[in-house]
Amino acid sequence: MQNRSELMPGVFLTHLSAQKFKTGLLSAHLVTPLRKETASLNALLPAVLRRGTAKYPDMESLSAALDTLYGAQIDYTVRKKGERQCVGFVSSFIDDRYAPGGEQLLEPVAQLLGELFLAPALENGVFVPAYVEGEKQNLIDGIRAIRNDKQDWADVRLMQEMCAKEHYGVLRLGDETSTAAITPAALYDHYGKVLAESRLELYYCGSADRQRVENALRAAFANLPRGEMKDLPAMEKCAAPAAPRYFTEEMDITQGKLSMGWRCATDDVPAMILANLLFGGTSNAKLFMNVREKLSLCYYASSSFARSKGILTVACGIEPKNYDTAVAEINAQLQAVANGEWEDWELDGAMATMCSSLTSLQDAQGAQENYYLGQNATDTDETPEDLLAALQAVTPQRIRDAAASCTLDTVFFLKGKEAAV
């Protein structure tokens, strides 16, 4: 992308100039391979780093420092982009044009961001044990909380079964057992390794010009250790098995949660995006209009497409007695897309949804940051404008071909303990 450049070895800046916002947004994320062995370590790391720095060794002093910057905010994030895990910080602060007396806030916020990464609070040469233990419990609570949303849990279990031999099946937060075993020394050792070997993606959106942003970030990350940089492994794309796999689990629930996954053999991403929207990606899609409204087989139904993996998924809530009929009808609706059985208004609605989604990105700094992090983390070079143009060039035949390339891989059903399928 023309707005992305390499500041230092393995350090990239995406700069978006914007005069419309009253705030500036600056983020920094380490991009690492998503692996079962390191997922918990990576997820815990930014939470512990956010607890304090050498200069501001606790949350109280760190909050006071942010208060002096007119209430600037720095939050840690853990995101999964394809088979990459992105861990780091997102900061938001008043744009210089609106700061009292024209005070410049970009430089001190960048400096603080650098300190969070490079000068953490330590005790006896490792991370502060109390911070590690506290954040370990928070992370474990977060992992356990996924079970509280039963559809989320069904979707997680679908990916774990469907991608059992792929890294994509690993939860972005890691797992409870691995988290519980982490020690301050082990986390600090991992910190040094990931800091030296991982790609660092920096992002800025605001009114400051590129040179000023580059200067601020070069100064903030001047001491970033750079060891033997490791290339991120290519995304794994697998074919569906000879026959679909079916899994059922019981939980204390009344409404069944059905999750289905297909492998998409097509490389025509724009066509597959539109096929997904026609299938179940909008409130006017076939799943909603037919499976829910017309046939009353589910409480809700929607589909999503993971382009980096070529995986199409459906999530819906059903009565257990409707399981067989719902599975068959959902498959039938995808086949209908492959057969070209849609009206012009359906395709127009799908295109309008994507146009609205892509054009509205420019109105939300956070959404832009998430979009570009996803692009950069998965080695995709496509602006929202590029994607919109590609979508507008898609023909109906390409949509049919994309949908026809989908093969059912896995069906996961979460049902009540007393329910029968």
Side-chain angles (χ1 to χ4, degrees), residues 55-81:
K55 187 176 180 180
Y56 308 107
D58 52 42
M59 292 289 287
E60 184 178 1
S61 57
L62 189 56
S63 295
L66 289 168
D67 286 342
T68 65
L69 300 175
Y70 301 101
Q73 295 181 334
I74 298 181
D75 299 311
Y76 74 87
T77 71
V78 180
R79 284 178 266 186
K80 175 179 174 178
K81 301 294 185 181

PDB file of all heavy atoms in Angstrom, residues 55-81:
ATOM      1  N   LYS A  55       9.246   3.924  34.304  1.00  0.00           N
ATOM      2  CA  LYS A  55       9.019   5.310  34.732  1.00  0.00           C
ATOM      3  C   LYS A  55       7.714   5.458  35.496  1.00  0.00           C
ATOM      4  O   LYS A  55       7.613   6.242  36.448  1.00  0.00           O
ATOM      5  CB  LYS A  55       9.017   6.223  33.505  1.00  0.00           C
ATOM      6  CG  LYS A  55       8.949   7.710  33.823  1.00  0.00           C
ATOM      7  CD  LYS A  55       9.054   8.523  32.531  1.00  0.00           C
ATOM      8  CE  LYS A  55       8.998  10.015  32.824  1.00  0.00           C
ATOM      9  NZ  LYS A  55       9.097  10.814  31.552  1.00  0.00           N
ATOM     10  N   TYR A  56       6.695   4.711  35.088  1.00  0.00           N
ATOM     11  CA  TYR A  56       5.384   4.737  35.732  1.00  0.00           C
ATOM     12  C   TYR A  56       5.054   3.301  36.152  1.00  0.00           C
ATOM     13  O   TYR A  56       4.389   2.562  35.407  1.00  0.00           O
ATOM     14  CB  TYR A  56       4.316   5.271  34.770  1.00  0.00           C
ATOM     15  CG  TYR A  56       4.679   6.597  34.146  1.00  0.00           C
ATOM     16  CD1 TYR A  56       5.057   6.694  32.807  1.00  0.00           C
ATOM     17  CD2 TYR A  56       4.642   7.760  34.907  1.00  0.00           C
ATOM     18  CE1 TYR A  56       5.388   7.910  32.244  1.00  0.00           C
ATOM     19  CE2 TYR A  56       4.969   8.987  34.345  1.00  0.00           C
ATOM     20  CZ  TYR A  56       5.355   9.056  33.011  1.00  0.00           C
ATOM     21  OH  TYR A  56       5.688  10.269  32.452  1.00  0.00           O
ATOM     22  N   PRO A  57       5.539   2.872  37.318  1.00  0.00           N
ATOM     23  CA  PRO A  57       5.550   1.446  37.659  1.00  0.00           C
ATOM     24  C   PRO A  57       4.230   0.833  38.094  1.00  0.00           C
ATOM     25  O   PRO A  57       4.196  -0.360  38.405  1.00  0.00           O
ATOM     26  CB  PRO A  57       6.564   1.389  38.801  1.00  0.00           C
ATOM     27  CG  PRO A  57       6.492   2.733  39.442  1.00  0.00           C
ATOM     28  CD  PRO A  57       6.239   3.695  38.330  1.00  0.00           C
ATOM     29  N   ASP A  58       3.154   1.611  38.125  1.00  0.00           N
ATOM     30  CA  ASP A  58       1.872   1.026  38.500  1.00  0.00           C
ATOM     31  C   ASP A  58       0.751   1.725  37.747  1.00  0.00           C
ATOM     32  O   ASP A  58       0.970   2.739  37.066  1.00  0.00           O
ATOM     33  CB  ASP A  58       1.649   1.119  40.016  1.00  0.00           C
ATOM     34  CG  ASP A  58       1.843   2.527  40.557  1.00  0.00           C
ATOM     35  OD1 ASP A  58       1.380   3.493  39.912  1.00  0.00           O
ATOM     36  OD2 ASP A  58       2.491   2.674  41.616  1.00  0.00           O
ATOM     37  N   MET A  59      -0.451   1.184  37.865  1.00  0.00           N
ATOM     38  CA  MET A  59      -1.582   1.725  37.119  1.00  0.00           C
ATOM     39  C   MET A  59      -1.907   3.159  37.539  1.00  0.00           C
ATOM     40  O   MET A  59      -2.316   3.984  36.721  1.00  0.00           O
ATOM     41  CB  MET A  59      -2.805   0.829  37.333  1.00  0.00           C
ATOM     42  CG  MET A  59      -2.691  -0.546  36.703  1.00  0.00           C
ATOM     43  SD  MET A  59      -2.780  -0.482  34.900  1.00  0.00           S
ATOM     44  CE  MET A  59      -4.513  -0.145  34.660  1.00  0.00           C
ATOM     45  N   GLU A  60      -1.708   3.460  38.812  1.00  0.00           N
ATOM     46  CA  GLU A  60      -2.023   4.800  39.309  1.00  0.00           C
ATOM     47  C   GLU A  60      -1.128   5.852  38.660  1.00  0.00           C
ATOM     48  O   GLU A  60      -1.612   6.885  38.170  1.00  0.00           O
ATOM     49  CB  GLU A  60      -1.870   4.839  40.829  1.00  0.00           C
ATOM     50  CG  GLU A  60      -2.263   6.180  41.445  1.00  0.00           C
ATOM     51  CD  GLU A  60      -2.156   6.181  42.958  1.00  0.00           C
ATOM     52  OE1 GLU A  60      -1.762   5.145  43.533  1.00  0.00           O
ATOM     53  OE2 GLU A  60      -2.465   7.228  43.568  1.00  0.00           O
ATOM     54  N   SER A  61       0.167   5.602  38.649  1.00  0.00           N
ATOM     55  CA  SER A  61       1.086   6.586  38.060  1.00  0.00           C
ATOM     56  C   SER A  61       0.947   6.635  36.544  1.00  0.00           C
ATOM     57  O   SER A  61       1.085   7.706  35.924  1.00  0.00           O
ATOM     58  CB  SER A  61       2.535   6.260  38.443  1.00  0.00           C
ATOM     59  OG  SER A  61       2.896   4.959  38.037  1.00  0.00           O
ATOM     60  N   LEU A  62       0.643   5.483  35.929  1.00  0.00           N
ATOM     61  CA  LEU A  62       0.448   5.467  34.480  1.00  0.00           C
ATOM     62  C   LEU A  62      -0.815   6.240  34.105  1.00  0.00           C
ATOM     63  O   LEU A  62      -0.817   7.004  33.128  1.00  0.00           O
ATOM     64  CB  LEU A  62       0.356   4.019  34.002  1.00  0.00           C
ATOM     65  CG  LEU A  62       0.362   3.774  32.495  1.00  0.00           C
ATOM     66  CD1 LEU A  62       1.592   4.389  31.835  1.00  0.00           C
ATOM     67  CD2 LEU A  62       0.315   2.276  32.207  1.00  0.00           C
ATOM     68  N   SER A  63      -1.856   6.080  34.887  1.00  0.00           N
ATOM     69  CA  SER A  63      -3.098   6.826  34.639  1.00  0.00           C
ATOM     70  C   SER A  63      -2.877   8.325  34.829  1.00  0.00           C
ATOM     71  O   SER A  63      -3.420   9.142  34.073  1.00  0.00           O
ATOM     72  CB  SER A  63      -4.201   6.347  35.575  1.00  0.00           C
ATOM     73  OG  SER A  63      -4.548   5.004  35.301  1.00  0.00           O
ATOM     74  N   ALA A  64      -2.070   8.675  35.826  1.00  0.00           N
ATOM     75  CA  ALA A  64      -1.764  10.084  36.056  1.00  0.00           C
ATOM     76  C   ALA A  64      -1.016  10.681  34.871  1.00  0.00           C
ATOM     77  O   ALA A  64      -1.257  11.828  34.470  1.00  0.00           O
ATOM     78  CB  ALA A  64      -0.950  10.239  37.338  1.00  0.00           C
ATOM     79  N   ALA A  65      -0.099   9.891  34.293  1.00  0.00           N
ATOM     80  CA  ALA A  65       0.647  10.357  33.121  1.00  0.00           C
ATOM     81  C   ALA A  65      -0.294  10.589  31.942  1.00  0.00           C
ATOM     82  O   ALA A  65      -0.150  11.576  31.202  1.00  0.00           O
ATOM     83  CB  ALA A  65       1.723   9.346  32.760  1.00  0.00           C
ATOM     84  N   LEU A  66      -1.259   9.700  31.764  1.00  0.00           N
ATOM     85  CA  LEU A  66      -2.229   9.862  30.684  1.00  0.00           C
ATOM     86  C   LEU A  66      -3.125  11.072  30.938  1.00  0.00           C
ATOM     87  O   LEU A  66      -3.513  11.777  30.000  1.00  0.00           O
ATOM     88  CB  LEU A  66      -3.068   8.589  30.540  1.00  0.00           C
ATOM     89  CG  LEU A  66      -2.334   7.379  29.964  1.00  0.00           C
ATOM     90  CD1 LEU A  66      -3.169   6.114  30.130  1.00  0.00           C
ATOM     91  CD2 LEU A  66      -2.011   7.596  28.488  1.00  0.00           C
ATOM     92  N   ASP A  67      -3.423  11.333  32.201  1.00  0.00           N
ATOM     93  CA  ASP A  67      -4.248  12.494  32.539  1.00  0.00           C
ATOM     94  C   ASP A  67      -3.558  13.799  32.152  1.00  0.00           C
ATOM     95  O   ASP A  67      -4.215  14.768  31.748  1.00  0.00           O
ATOM     96  CB  ASP A  67      -4.569  12.513  34.034  1.00  0.00           C
ATOM     97  CG  ASP A  67      -5.602  11.463  34.415  1.00  0.00           C
ATOM     98  OD1 ASP A  67      -6.303  10.971  33.508  1.00  0.00           O
ATOM     99  OD2 ASP A  67      -5.693  11.120  35.614  1.00  0.00           O
ATOM    100  N   THR A  68      -2.239  13.834  32.279  1.00  0.00           N
ATOM    101  CA  THR A  68      -1.507  15.038  31.888  1.00  0.00           C
ATOM    102  C   THR A  68      -1.544  15.263  30.379  1.00  0.00           C
ATOM    103  O   THR A  68      -1.256  16.363  29.906  1.00  0.00           O
ATOM    104  CB  THR A  68      -0.035  14.975  32.345  1.00  0.00           C
ATOM    105  OG1 THR A  68       0.635  13.915  31.652  1.00  0.00           O
ATOM    106  CG2 THR A  68       0.067  14.739  33.849  1.00  0.00           C
ATOM    107  N   LEU A  69      -1.893  14.213  29.657  1.00  0.00           N
ATOM    108  CA  LEU A  69      -2.026  14.315  28.195  1.00  0.00           C
ATOM    109  C   LEU A  69      -3.500  14.490  27.824  1.00  0.00           C
ATOM    110  O   LEU A  69      -3.962  14.003  26.802  1.00  0.00           O
ATOM    111  CB  LEU A  69      -1.451  13.060  27.529  1.00  0.00           C
ATOM    112  CG  LEU A  69       0.031  12.792  27.805  1.00  0.00           C
ATOM    113  CD1 LEU A  69       0.468  11.467  27.210  1.00  0.00           C
ATOM    114  CD2 LEU A  69       0.889  13.933  27.260  1.00  0.00           C
ATOM    115  N   TYR A  70      -4.218  15.213  28.693  1.00  0.00           N
ATOM    116  CA  TYR A  70      -5.621  15.551  28.475  1.00  0.00           C
ATOM    117  C   TYR A  70      -6.491  14.306  28.272  1.00  0.00           C
ATOM    118  O   TYR A  70      -7.335  14.247  27.362  1.00  0.00           O
ATOM    119  CB  TYR A  70      -5.757  16.505  27.274  1.00  0.00           C
ATOM    120  CG  TYR A  70      -4.978  17.782  27.462  1.00  0.00           C
ATOM    121  CD1 TYR A  70      -3.740  17.956  26.843  1.00  0.00           C
ATOM    122  CD2 TYR A  70      -5.454  18.788  28.292  1.00  0.00           C
ATOM    123  CE1 TYR A  70      -2.995  19.113  27.035  1.00  0.00           C
ATOM    124  CE2 TYR A  70      -4.725  19.952  28.489  1.00  0.00           C
ATOM    125  CZ  TYR A  70      -3.490  20.105  27.870  1.00  0.00           C
ATOM    126  OH  TYR A  70      -2.756  21.256  28.073  1.00  0.00           O
ATOM    127  N   GLY A  71      -6.265  13.321  29.134  1.00  0.00           N
ATOM    128  CA  GLY A  71      -7.120  12.140  29.117  1.00  0.00           C
ATOM    129  C   GLY A  71      -6.877  11.194  27.962  1.00  0.00           C
ATOM    130  O   GLY A  71      -7.795  10.480  27.540  1.00  0.00           O
ATOM    131  N   ALA A  72      -5.646  11.167  27.453  1.00  0.00           N
ATOM    132  CA  ALA A  72      -5.315  10.192  26.411  1.00  0.00           C
ATOM    133  C   ALA A  72      -5.566   8.784  26.940  1.00  0.00           C
ATOM    134  O   ALA A  72      -5.471   8.530  28.143  1.00  0.00           O
ATOM    135  CB  ALA A  72      -3.854  10.348  25.981  1.00  0.00           C
ATOM    136  N   GLN A  73      -5.910   7.876  26.053  1.00  0.00           N
ATOM    137  CA  GLN A  73      -6.185   6.500  26.436  1.00  0.00           C
ATOM    138  C   GLN A  73      -5.257   5.544  25.700  1.00  0.00           C
ATOM    139  O   GLN A  73      -4.960   5.750  24.513  1.00  0.00           O
ATOM    140  CB  GLN A  73      -7.634   6.130  26.131  1.00  0.00           C
ATOM    141  CG  GLN A  73      -8.657   6.905  26.949  1.00  0.00           C
ATOM    142  CD  GLN A  73     -10.082   6.479  26.638  1.00  0.00           C
ATOM    143  OE1 GLN A  73     -10.376   6.002  25.550  1.00  0.00           O
ATOM    144  NE2 GLN A  73     -10.973   6.651  27.598  1.00  0.00           N
ATOM    145  N   ILE A  74      -4.809   4.519  26.400  1.00  0.00           N
ATOM    146  CA  ILE A  74      -4.037   3.444  25.779  1.00  0.00           C
ATOM    147  C   ILE A  74      -4.616   2.127  26.282  1.00  0.00           C
ATOM    148  O   ILE A  74      -4.598   1.855  27.483  1.00  0.00           O
ATOM    149  CB  ILE A  74      -2.536   3.526  26.108  1.00  0.00           C
ATOM    150  CG1 ILE A  74      -1.930   4.832  25.578  1.00  0.00           C
ATOM    151  CG2 ILE A  74      -1.795   2.330  25.499  1.00  0.00           C
ATOM    152  CD1 ILE A  74      -0.433   4.976  25.852  1.00  0.00           C
ATOM    153  N   ASP A  75      -5.136   1.336  25.365  1.00  0.00           N
ATOM    154  CA  ASP A  75      -5.730   0.046  25.712  1.00  0.00           C
ATOM    155  C   ASP A  75      -4.968  -1.070  25.004  1.00  0.00           C
ATOM    156  O   ASP A  75      -4.480  -0.891  23.882  1.00  0.00           O
ATOM    157  CB  ASP A  75      -7.200  -0.008  25.290  1.00  0.00           C
ATOM    158  CG  ASP A  75      -8.030   1.058  25.985  1.00  0.00           C
ATOM    159  OD1 ASP A  75      -7.921   1.177  27.217  1.00  0.00           O
ATOM    160  OD2 ASP A  75      -8.768   1.776  25.282  1.00  0.00           O
ATOM    161  N   TYR A  76      -4.872  -2.216  25.652  1.00  0.00           N
ATOM    162  CA  TYR A  76      -4.209  -3.344  25.001  1.00  0.00           C
ATOM    163  C   TYR A  76      -5.235  -4.168  24.221  1.00  0.00           C
ATOM    164  O   TYR A  76      -6.418  -4.201  24.561  1.00  0.00           O
ATOM    165  CB  TYR A  76      -3.462  -4.220  26.014  1.00  0.00           C
ATOM    166  CG  TYR A  76      -4.322  -5.097  26.893  1.00  0.00           C
ATOM    167  CD1 TYR A  76      -4.704  -6.362  26.464  1.00  0.00           C
ATOM    168  CD2 TYR A  76      -4.729  -4.668  28.152  1.00  0.00           C
ATOM    169  CE1 TYR A  76      -5.489  -7.172  27.273  1.00  0.00           C
ATOM    170  CE2 TYR A  76      -5.503  -5.468  28.966  1.00  0.00           C
ATOM    171  CZ  TYR A  76      -5.883  -6.724  28.519  1.00  0.00           C
ATOM    172  OH  TYR A  76      -6.657  -7.524  29.318  1.00  0.00           O
ATOM    173  N   THR A  77      -4.787  -4.821  23.159  1.00  0.00           N
ATOM    174  CA  THR A  77      -5.673  -5.661  22.360  1.00  0.00           C
ATOM    175  C   THR A  77      -4.964  -6.961  21.997  1.00  0.00           C
ATOM    176  O   THR A  77      -3.736  -7.009  21.876  1.00  0.00           O
ATOM    177  CB  THR A  77      -6.122  -4.967  21.054  1.00  0.00           C
ATOM    178  OG1 THR A  77      -5.017  -4.879  20.148  1.00  0.00           O
ATOM    179  CG2 THR A  77      -6.685  -3.586  21.313  1.00  0.00           C
ATOM    180  N   VAL A  78      -5.765  -7.996  21.838  1.00  0.00           N
ATOM    181  CA  VAL A  78      -5.307  -9.296  21.348  1.00  0.00           C
ATOM    182  C   VAL A  78      -6.242  -9.676  20.220  1.00  0.00           C
ATOM    183  O   VAL A  78      -7.434  -9.871  20.441  1.00  0.00           O
ATOM    184  CB  VAL A  78      -5.345 -10.372  22.455  1.00  0.00           C
ATOM    185  CG1 VAL A  78      -4.859 -11.714  21.909  1.00  0.00           C
ATOM    186  CG2 VAL A  78      -4.517  -9.945  23.660  1.00  0.00           C
ATOM    187  N   ARG A  79      -5.716  -9.753  18.999  1.00  0.00           N
ATOM    188  CA  ARG A  79      -6.569 -10.032  17.853  1.00  0.00           C
ATOM    189  C   ARG A  79      -6.032 -11.197  17.030  1.00  0.00           C
ATOM    190  O   ARG A  79      -4.823 -11.440  16.990  1.00  0.00           O
ATOM    191  CB  ARG A  79      -6.703  -8.780  16.972  1.00  0.00           C
ATOM    192  CG  ARG A  79      -7.642  -7.748  17.574  1.00  0.00           C
ATOM    193  CD  ARG A  79      -7.750  -6.488  16.739  1.00  0.00           C
ATOM    194  NE  ARG A  79      -6.827  -5.462  17.183  1.00  0.00           N
ATOM    195  CZ  ARG A  79      -6.793  -4.229  16.702  1.00  0.00           C
ATOM    196  NH1 ARG A  79      -7.639  -3.866  15.755  1.00  0.00           N
ATOM    197  NH2 ARG A  79      -5.932  -3.340  17.159  1.00  0.00           N
ATOM    198  N   LYS A  80      -6.947 -11.889  16.408  1.00  0.00           N
ATOM    199  CA  LYS A  80      -6.618 -13.019  15.540  1.00  0.00           C
ATOM    200  C   LYS A  80      -6.944 -12.612  14.118  1.00  0.00           C
ATOM    201  O   LYS A  80      -8.089 -12.298  13.798  1.00  0.00           O
ATOM    202  CB  LYS A  80      -7.435 -14.242  15.965  1.00  0.00           C
ATOM    203  CG  LYS A  80      -7.294 -15.467  15.075  1.00  0.00           C
ATOM    204  CD  LYS A  80      -8.155 -16.605  15.637  1.00  0.00           C
ATOM    205  CE  LYS A  80      -8.186 -17.808  14.714  1.00  0.00           C
ATOM    206  NZ  LYS A  80      -8.990 -18.922  15.278  1.00  0.00           N
ATOM    207  N   LYS A  81      -5.928 -12.595  13.274  1.00  0.00           N
ATOM    208  CA  LYS A  81      -6.094 -12.251  11.865  1.00  0.00           C
ATOM    209  C   LYS A  81      -5.581 -13.424  11.034  1.00  0.00           C
ATOM    210  O   LYS A  81      -4.380 -13.612  10.889  1.00  0.00           O
ATOM    211  CB  LYS A  81      -5.318 -10.974  11.519  1.00  0.00           C
ATOM    212  CG  LYS A  81      -5.721  -9.745  12.333  1.00  0.00           C
ATOM    213  CD  LYS A  81      -7.144  -9.299  12.036  1.00  0.00           C
ATOM    214  CE  LYS A  81      -7.506  -8.014  12.764  1.00  0.00           C
ATOM    215  NZ  LYS A  81      -8.897  -7.595  12.496  1.00  0.00           N
TER     216      LYS A  81
END
